Amino acid sequence: MGKVAVVYWSGTGNTEAMAEFVAEGARAAGAEAEVIACADFSSSNLDDFDAFAFGCPAMGAEELESEEFEPMWDDIEPELPSRRVALFGSYDWAEGEWMDLWRERAEDAGITVISTVIAKDYPDEEATAACKALGAELA
């Protein structure tokens, strides 16, 4: 089994909880999984992992967090097209359009997004199970 990086930004703890559930699912499937705050991750870390789950909540007008997460994403995005990538995050309004926009942006950059998971606020039982399944899929 491989090594999975679960990289996230969280303002309220909801996306952080999702990151922990993704890592739990990867570990249960036999992979190593490391949960990493986006401020501690860059393109120099990519070769240390076999698969990646990136988590960011919806911010502002359905966008990625701009101070820490988006600069990290801008750094790694050109290096992701040949890698296994999944996206996850929480939201509190609308219907989760930011995830559709993020996935579209990633795919336009040549990244194959294998799966996405969203949760309204703190992950409920269904979102928790989806996060764990996402981790297992990356494993």
Side-chain angles (χ1 to χ4, degrees):
M1 288 289 164
K3 189 170 180 183
V4 178
V6 184
V7 183
Y8 74 96
W9 184 89
S10 187
T12 62
N14 297 340
T15 301
E16 182 177 14
M18 294 177 78
E20 294 293 343
F21 293 135
V22 171
E24 186 179 325
R27 291 179 190 124
E32 282 185 60
E34 189 173 338
V35 178
I36 307 166
C38 68
D40 298 325
F41 195 82
S42 72
S43 58
S44 66
N45 302 112
L46 291 172
D47 289 337
D48 297 337
F49 299 93
D50 302 303
F52 304 87
F54 294 100
C56 186
M59 301 293 289
E62 296 286 320
E63 54 202 17
L64 299 175
E65 190 278 330
S66 64
E67 297 295 317
E68 291 182 37
F69 192 87
E70 191 151 21
M72 182 273 312
W73 182 260
D74 289 344
D75 173 52
I76 64 171
E77 187 178 58
E79 306 298 323
L80 293 176
S82 62
R83 302 171 194 266
R84 300 183 68 225
V85 174
L87 308 175
F88 67 94
S90 62
Y91 65 100
D92 186 28
W93 61 89
E95 298 297 319
E97 179 186 10
W98 104 102
M99 184 59 70
D100 295 334
L101 296 171
W102 185 13
R103 182 179 195 144
E104 183 179 310
R105 172 184 172 175
E107 290 174 346
D108 286 350
I111 300 166
T112 300
V113 178
I114 62 168
S115 192
T116 64
V117 174
I118 62 173
K120 175 101 167 84
D121 299 318
Y122 190 85
D124 61 12
E125 188 174 306
E126 182 180 333
T128 296
C131 287
K132 291 178 182 180
L134 179 72
E137 186 175 359
L138 287 171

